[in-house]
Amino acid sequence: MSYTNSTLSVQLQWMFSHYKSICSPGWIMAFTIRVVVVLHLLIIIIMSLLLLQADAQKLLIKLEERKMKKCGINRIYQFGDSLSDTGNCLRETYCRAHSGCRFPPYGMNFYQKAVTGRCSNGLLMIDFIALECDLPLLNPSLEENADFSHGANFAVSGATALSVESLAKKKIHMSYTNSTLSVQLQWMSFHFNSVCSTDCPKYLENSLFLVGEIGGDELTYGLNQGKTMEELRRMVPVIVHAIIRGVRRVISFGATRIVVPGNIPAGCNPVILTIFGTRPSTTYDEYGCVKEWNNFMMYYNNYLKRGIHMLKREYPNISIIYGDYYNAYLWLRQNVVALGFDKNFVLKPCCEIGGDYNYREDMKCGDPGVEACADPNIYISWDGLHLTQRAYSWLTKWLIDDIIPQLNCPEK
């Protein structure tokens, strides 16, 4: 060497001697503890992320901002059919015997990995709404000894807005349950008479009511049983009148925040696509859905909106909101790829087998030998009639953004 003998090893020795002279043993120990703590926290964070990735339900619950929490809703009451039933059908002997939703693979992605009576692979829209309000999931009203302090779910799979007797006169026969909207309202009356008989308006002042979606099942029953579109169209005013009557009933108990959902574009459901697929004159829209049935759903929804408008004039101090499931679904279809769905499966259910739309009336989800797809998250339809948990989560997100301005929630 011509200039110096201070090689790298020598410089490292100087550094060690320097820090040895200025750093006390206590400082070194404190520094070591900090490093260990930081590493421990990093391990916890990494493990948490892995657990969240493994459990889609926990991811949805923990990571999404709960927008409706600011509304101060402390109870939710749900009426409806299989789109919102969280277990009442399983507790009715007749309904349970005819429902495939009591068997796997239903509930395969529910966070408890259990069949609960929900007609999906996991959560429903009412579940996501409850979570958005920072409330527990609603228990079915027929569940014995359940906690109903945060509300109750009266919905039953297969339920109709019209009574069994009224449908029988139209030669439409029920196939699953007699627990129509009027029956569910009776259950509500019994419930409130037991928990708030002296002052229900005070008890319900921060509650949210969802009257529906209901009314779609009798239309599907009628279609399956040979009714013409004109016959079904004549049923719409009667169905809407029954729903409006139900809204008045919940108002009489003290409800001040009410959402009345309409129907989705059911012409996109594989069950409807299969029914109309046998008709040579059937035409389809830009999404491959049955145009005639979706036009009928729009007619139904417009009639319902007119009924809600009249109610709002009658009760100006009560928030009565139309739940626009139709446009929520259209938004989902318009953004299907961006939202993580596979565009090749948008008209096919995850859990069915056979047929042009992977749907067969004689072999349904829940039947022996029928298995679910490998990844329900890329499907919109779960079983041909009901949607997947992921689809319901996105519909709820759109719906909440739409209804929050109308709920008169305080700003943060």
Side-chain angles (χ1 to χ4, degrees):
M1 297 287 289
S2 58
Y3 294 104
T4 180
N5 292 327
S6 302
T7 61
L8 177 59
S9 61
V10 173
Q11 294 175 33
L12 288 172
Q13 287 177 357
W14 292 350
M15 181 193 72
F16 180 77
S17 298
H18 172 73
Y19 284 117
K20 187 176 181 180
S21 67
I22 66 172
C23 296
S24 65
W27 184 92
I28 294 173
M29 182 176 291
F31 178 76
T32 304
I33 291 173
R34 288 188 181 96
V35 171
V36 171
V37 170
V38 170
L39 289 174
H40 183 66
L41 288 173
L42 285 173
I43 291 171
I44 290 175
I45 291 170
I46 291 170
M47 291 299 294
S48 298
L49 289 173
L50 289 174
L51 288 171
L52 285 172
Q53 186 177 11
D55 193 332
Q57 162 57 16
K58 290 181 181 177
L59 180 66
L60 287 166
I61 291 175
K62 292 184 178 181
L63 297 186
E64 287 291 329
E65 178 190 358
R66 298 181 180 182
K67 296 180 181 178
M68 289 186 69
K69 186 177 179 180
K70 67 179 181 180
C71 297
I73 294 167
N74 60 5
R75 296 181 182 88
I76 302 176
Y77 298 95
Q78 171 79 64
F79 304 85
D81 54 25
S82 58
L83 294 186
S84 47
D85 182 3
T86 56
N88 282 320
C89 180
L90 294 193
R91 291 163 175 82
E92 282 191 354
T93 303
Y94 183 60
C95 188
R96 177 183 174 85
H98 291 82
S99 174
C101 301
R102 71 190 191 277
F103 297 118
Y106 286 97
M108 62 179 283
N109 298 116
F110 190 72
Y111 74 101
Q112 295 175 337
K113 309 296 182 186
V115 175
T116 61
R118 290 169 172 81
C119 293
S120 180
N121 61 308
L123 298 178
L124 309 179
M125 290 182 70
I126 181 55
D127 296 318
F128 287 111
I129 290 171
L131 293 172
E132 283 278 354
C133 294
D134 204 23
L135 294 174
L137 304 186
L138 297 187
N139 292 314
S141 63
L142 297 183
E143 182 179 354
E144 295 183 2
N145 303 316
D147 179 9
F148 297 116
S149 61
H150 53 277
N153 191 333
F154 302 104
V156 183
S157 296
T160 57
L162 299 182
S163 69
V164 175
E165 295 76 18
S166 174
L167 289 172
K169 291 178 181 177
K170 302 177 188 300
K171 294 184 167 49
I172 296 176
H173 305 288
M174 298 288 288
S175 55
Y176 292 110
T177 180
N178 294 330
S179 298
T180 61
L181 178 58
S182 60
V183 173
Q184 295 176 29
L185 290 166
Q186 288 176 0
W187 294 347
M188 177 200 70
S189 298
F190 295 146
H191 175 74
F192 288 153
N193 285 335
S194 67
V195 300
C196 64
S197 57
T198 56
D199 193 2
C200 283
K202 179 68 175 176
Y203 183 80
L204 298 173
E205 63 182 353
N206 293 316
S207 297
L208 175 67
F209 286 74
L210 290 100
V211 185
E213 182 276 331
I214 196 165
D217 277 351
E218 51 259 65
L219 297 172
T220 305
Y221 294 154
L223 182 67
N224 265 324
Q225 294 172 27
K227 297 299 179 184
T228 66
M229 294 300 294
E230 184 54 38
E231 288 176 309
L232 296 177
R233 188 177 289 264
R234 289 198 295 267
M235 288 174 57
V236 169
V238 187
I239 294 172
V240 170
H241 179 70
I243 294 171
I244 297 303
R245 188 167 59 244
V247 175
R248 285 199 177 92
R249 183 67 174 142
V250 301
I251 290 174
S252 72
F253 273 92
T256 58
R257 290 172 168 175
I258 307 162
V259 176
V260 188
N263 267 297
I264 67 169
C268 301
N269 284 344
V271 60
I272 298 296
L273 286 161
T274 301
I275 293 172
F276 276 85
T278 60
R279 305 181 182 186
S281 60
T282 299
T283 57
Y284 302 91
D285 63 17
E286 59 186 304
Y287 303 110
C289 307
V290 178
K291 187 179 293 187
E292 184 179 12
W293 193 252
N294 280 354
N295 287 341
F296 178 56
M297 289 295 100
M298 284 192 285
Y299 169 77
Y300 171 91
N301 289 338
N302 287 334
Y303 210 101
L304 179 62
K305 282 188 278 189
R306 288 198 295 270
I308 293 170
H309 179 71
M310 288 188 290
L311 271 178
K312 291 171 77 169
R313 294 178 62 183
E314 186 178 347
Y315 299 99
N317 297 321
I318 294 177
S319 297
I320 308 172
I321 303 163
Y322 171 68
D324 197 351
Y325 285 15
Y326 194 98
N327 278 309
Y329 188 95
L330 283 187
W331 169 80
L332 187 152
R333 288 301 303 273
Q334 291 161 359
N335 298 278
V336 62
V337 175
L339 298 178
F341 299 98
D342 191 320
K343 63 181 181 180
N344 297 311
F345 299 140
V346 291
L347 296 178
K348 294 184 178 182
C350 167
C351 182
E352 286 294 352
I353 185 169
D356 292 338
Y357 295 99
N358 201 26
Y359 178 86
R360 283 171 52 182
E361 190 67 27
D362 62 336
M363 187 177 287
K364 298 180 179 180
C365 190
D367 288 347
V370 179
E371 298 181 357
C373 61
D375 185 9
N377 284 330
I378 62 175
Y379 284 76
I380 292 176
S381 177
W382 165 246
D383 60 5
L385 182 60
H386 310 98
L387 308 185
T388 60
Q389 172 178 270
R390 187 177 182 87
Y392 283 135
S393 73
W394 283 116
L395 292 183
T396 307
K397 190 178 187 69
W398 189 97
L399 181 71
I400 285 174
D401 286 342
D402 188 55
I403 69 174
I404 274 188
Q406 305 173 69
L407 283 173
N408 299 319
C409 303
E411 293 297 326
K412 289 184 178 180

